[in-house]
């Protein structure tokens, strides 16, 4: 191999091999190397990271694989990947130890070829990029804390310049850009969101929309490829408008915005204060509210009213109501919300009571049954019943999410 040591910033990408234009989709294949991955000793987060980043860049991934530290099997995997993908990315096996076989194996396979070394700013082992017969082979170090910045700071540029068939001049001349915006929705099932924006989900490049279901929320990701940022953002804006026309009430934010952040913004703007009494969420709601910097302006108190005596003494629930309806009931939730609000003189009182499971459920009151009440000065109190599914942690999170959404909609 002919080794060329250069920093990626100074590279003139040998893009002449890449005849595809931005609108043609390129495809990449990821091969993770390491016997410890095959044994299940470590989880393959590198593939998840790379798949996500490549998708964000509009590059399709049709195959991923894992091979142990074995030259024959790695050779076979790389050969197969080169036969069907434009870009082959390997992770791991780059270090100096005997089980690090990536470079030797690939060198053996492709022969004398120029290599571009990619500086590793976090660790010692550099990554490498090879242009080979109209293909690109990229080898990245195994540790995620080395691979992730290397991919984001250097590799993604190599790939986009190459696919655009434009030498990397450093001034962005002739380059296309890809912009995205994630619209975050809560309070609706994925199937309902899917139905509402079905036509948008069928859009083809240059502007596309993807749907992603997460715990307690659904995300719509709009991606647009265009000649400049203004055009890409204009195309995204058009689609966002259509999404908002259908789902506006359920949208709480975009990109890095969080539900607790959105609630904080509204409480601040409306100069309202809040106090919270939580049972089954055990303080999670208070914790999420206080994750937001500046929450001291509006968050007065969080009480974990886990036991019945605390529900009675701390949040003013009538013992007779607990006896009659049980601790997990609309009536108790309503009294807790009012009790905590009046205790500290907040504008809003919020209470959660439910069964997080996996034990403690009955036929009439199954695991996942949660009541959330909101008591606002001068307004009729609100109580909502939810039936969440999932593990204990998942039910707790969904309850905190529903509580935040109830606050968001009723401030
Ligand atoms: P080093 O010089 O650190 O050895 P390397 O490129 O040779 O770098 P490996 O030896 O293959 O990397 O892996 C080093 C460590 O990186 C592993 O022990 C593991 O903790 C982590 N790692 C490797 N591959 C993956 C992967 N696919 N996903 C997540 N972590 C990984």
């Amino acid at each position: 191999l002919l080794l060329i040591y250069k920093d990626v910033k100074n590279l003139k990408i040998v893009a002449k091999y890449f005849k595809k234009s931005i609108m043609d989709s390129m495809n990449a294949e990821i091969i993770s190397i390491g016997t410890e991955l095959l044994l299940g000793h470590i989880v393959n987060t590198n593939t998840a990271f790379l798949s996500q980043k490549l998708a964000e860049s509009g590059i399709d991934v049709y195959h991923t694989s894992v091979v142990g530290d074995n030259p024959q099997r790695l050779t076979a995997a790389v050969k197969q990947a080169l036969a069907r993908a434009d870009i082959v990315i390997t992770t791991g096996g780059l270090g100096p130890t005997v089980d690090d076989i990536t470079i030797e194996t690939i060198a053996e396979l492709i022969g004398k070829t120029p290599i571009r070394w990619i500086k590793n700013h976090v660790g010692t082992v550099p990554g490498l990029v090879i242009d080979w017969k109209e293909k690109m082979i990229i080898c990245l170090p195994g540790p995620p804390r080395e691979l992730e910045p290397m991919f984001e700071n250097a590799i993604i540029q190599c790939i986009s310049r190459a696919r655009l068939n434009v030498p990397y001049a450093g001034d962005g001349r002739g380059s296309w850009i890809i912009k995205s915006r994630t619209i975050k929705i809560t309070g609706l099932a994925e199937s309902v969101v899917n139905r509402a924006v079905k036509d948008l989900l069928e859009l083809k490049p240059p502007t596309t929309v993807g749907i992603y279901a997460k715990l307690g929320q659904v995300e719509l990701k709009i991606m647009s490829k265009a000649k400049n940022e203004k055009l890409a953002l204009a195309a995204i804006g058009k689609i966002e408008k259509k999404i908002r026309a259908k789902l506006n009430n359920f949208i709480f934010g975009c990109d890095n915005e969080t539900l607790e952040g959105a609630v904080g913004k509204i409480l601040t703007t409306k100069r309202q204060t809040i106090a919270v009494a939580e049972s089954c969420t055990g303080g999670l709601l208070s914790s999420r509210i206080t994750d937001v910097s500046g929450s001291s302006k509006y968050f007065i108190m969080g009480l974990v009213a886990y036991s019945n005596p605390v529900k009675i003494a701390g949040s003013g629930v009538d013992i007779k109501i607990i006896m009659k309806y049980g601790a997990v009931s609309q009536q108790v939730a309503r009294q807790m919300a009012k009790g905590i609000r009046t205790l500290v003189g907040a504008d809003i009182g919020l209470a959660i009571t439910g069964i997080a499971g996996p034990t403690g459920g009955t036929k009439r009151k199954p695991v996942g049954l949660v009541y959330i009440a909101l008591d606002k000065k001068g307004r009729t109190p609100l109580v909502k019943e939810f039936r969440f599914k999932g593990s204990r942690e998942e039910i707790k999170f969904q309850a905190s999410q529903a509580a935040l959404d109830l606050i968001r909609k009723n401030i």
Side-chain angles (χ1 to χ4, degrees):
L1 291 172
L2 171 63
L3 310 181
I4 306 168
Y5 290 81
K6 270 188 178 173
D7 192 294
V8 69
K9 291 268 178 215
N10 302 320
L11 288 174
K12 292 273 184 271
I13 299 291
V14 191
K16 60 176 186 270
Y17 299 119
F18 290 88
K19 302 286 188 271
K20 293 196 176 192
S21 82
I22 184 106
M23 297 310 167
D24 295 330
S25 64
M26 295 189 81
N27 75 90
E29 179 155 345
I30 304 162
I31 303 171
S32 301
I33 303 158
T35 303
E36 50 191 337
L37 285 163
L38 285 178
L39 293 171
H41 292 169
I42 52 170
V43 177
N44 190 353
T45 58
N46 286 346
T47 292
F49 170 83
L50 292 170
S51 298
Q52 200 176 325
K53 292 291 164 190
L54 288 163
E56 280 171 14
S57 307
I59 293 167
D60 297 318
V61 174
Y62 298 136
H63 302 272
T64 69
S65 61
V66 178
V67 283
D69 306 311
N70 175 295
Q72 286 78 37
R73 286 190 281 274
L74 177 57
T75 304
V78 175
K79 255 191 192 165
Q80 189 182 34
L82 283 169
R84 60 191 179 190
D86 302 304
I87 303 165
V88 176
I89 304 179
T90 68
T91 78
L94 282 187
T97 53
V98 279
D99 60 351
D100 290 323
I101 54 163
T102 307
I103 297 184
E104 291 76 358
T105 308
I106 290 179
E108 188 84 11
L109 187 70
I110 64 176
K112 197 170 173 180
T113 308
I115 286 184
R116 269 175 269 144
W117 293 92
I118 308 297
K119 207 167 169 188
N120 186 341
H121 293 282
V122 186
T124 48
V125 186
L128 51 109
V129 175
I130 308 164
D131 290 304
W132 185 75
K133 292 191 181 170
E134 301 196 10
K135 307 268 175 180
M136 188 179 248
I137 304 170
I138 298 166
C139 304
L140 300 173
R145 59 183 287 275
E146 297 176 25
L147 173 143
E148 291 177 12
M150 187 183 287
F151 188 82
E152 297 209 87
N153 299 333
I155 302 297
I156 200 69
Q157 289 180 28
C158 282
I159 295 176
S160 13
R161 305 294 160 193
R163 75 207 282 252
L164 298 174
N165 207 358
V166 173
Y168 181 53
D171 61 2
R173 245 182 310 127
S175 63
W176 292 71
I177 58 130
I178 297 171
K179 284 270 148 194
S180 71
R181 186 171 304 154
T182 301
I183 311 288
K184 296 181 166 177
I185 295 153
T186 192
L188 289 179
E190 185 194 10
S191 55
V192 179
V193 176
N194 193 88
R195 229 175 294 132
V197 296
K198 199 165 178 293
D199 50 334
L200 301 178
L201 295 172
E202 285 164 4
L203 287 175
K204 295 275 173 289
T207 304
T208 56
V209 180
I211 184 165
Y212 305 94
K214 306 244 166 107
L215 190 63
Q217 70 191 50
V218 179
E219 297 182 356
L220 290 172
K221 185 162 189 166
I222 312 167
M223 278 183 45
S224 182
K225 299 172 190 174
K227 285 222 163 157
N228 60 49
E229 187 170 327
K230 209 173 146 196
L231 288 173
L233 291 178
I236 288 174
K238 255 191 191 166
I239 303 290
E240 182 177 350
K241 222 171 153 185
K242 288 185 185 174
I243 294 173
R244 285 191 182 274
K246 289 186 172 159
L247 300 168
N248 202 31
N249 264 350
F250 300 92
I251 298 171
F252 65 84
C254 286
D255 297 328
N256 296 326
E257 287 168 356
T258 60
L259 185 52
E260 46 273 40
V263 166
K265 250 189 218 160
I266 310 175
L267 284 168
T268 308
T269 315
K270 299 210 168 172
R271 295 172 183 272
Q272 301 269 299
T273 56
I274 189 164
V276 162
E278 323 180 42
S279 184
C280 64
T281 41
L284 179 62
L285 177 61
S286 302
S287 171
R288 289 185 64 188
I289 292 174
T290 54
D291 279 344
V292 181
S293 161
S295 49
S296 61
K297 281 200 205 90
Y298 49 82
F299 184 65
I300 299 188
M301 176 184 183
L303 172 73
V304 181
Y306 216 62
S307 67
N308 285 348
V310 173
K311 286 187 183 74
I312 295 161
S315 57
V317 177
D318 185 345
I319 187 166
K320 284 191 238 110
I321 296 287
I322 296 189
M323 305 273 278
K324 187 165 176 195
Y325 300 104
V328 179
S329 62
Q330 290 195 32
Q331 291 80 357
V332 166
R334 189 179 293 136
Q335 286 203 339
M336 282 168 77
K338 185 170 184 190
I340 200 72
R341 180 177 73 71
T342 48
L343 180 72
V344 292
D347 297 307
I348 295 164
L350 194 290
I352 305 178
T353 178
I355 304 159
T359 55
T362 62
K363 212 162 180 199
R364 228 165 48 81
K365 293 192 176 178
V367 167
L369 174 70
V370 175
Y371 291 100
I372 303 177
L374 185 140
D375 190 278
K376 197 174 171 189
K377 231 185 339 194
R379 279 246 213 118
T380 322
L382 270 174
V383 192
K384 282 200 146 201
E385 180 186 298
F386 297 88
R387 284 167 190 261
F388 298 118
K389 294 211 161 45
S391 67
R392 185 173 176 82
E393 289 75 21
E394 286 168 345
I395 288 172
K396 285 173 72 179
F397 181 81
Q398 291 173 88
S400 72
Q401 188 81 344
L404 285 167
D405 201 39
L406 195 68
I407 303 167
R408 181 181 76 85
K409 287 178 173 154
N410 292 284
I411 300 172

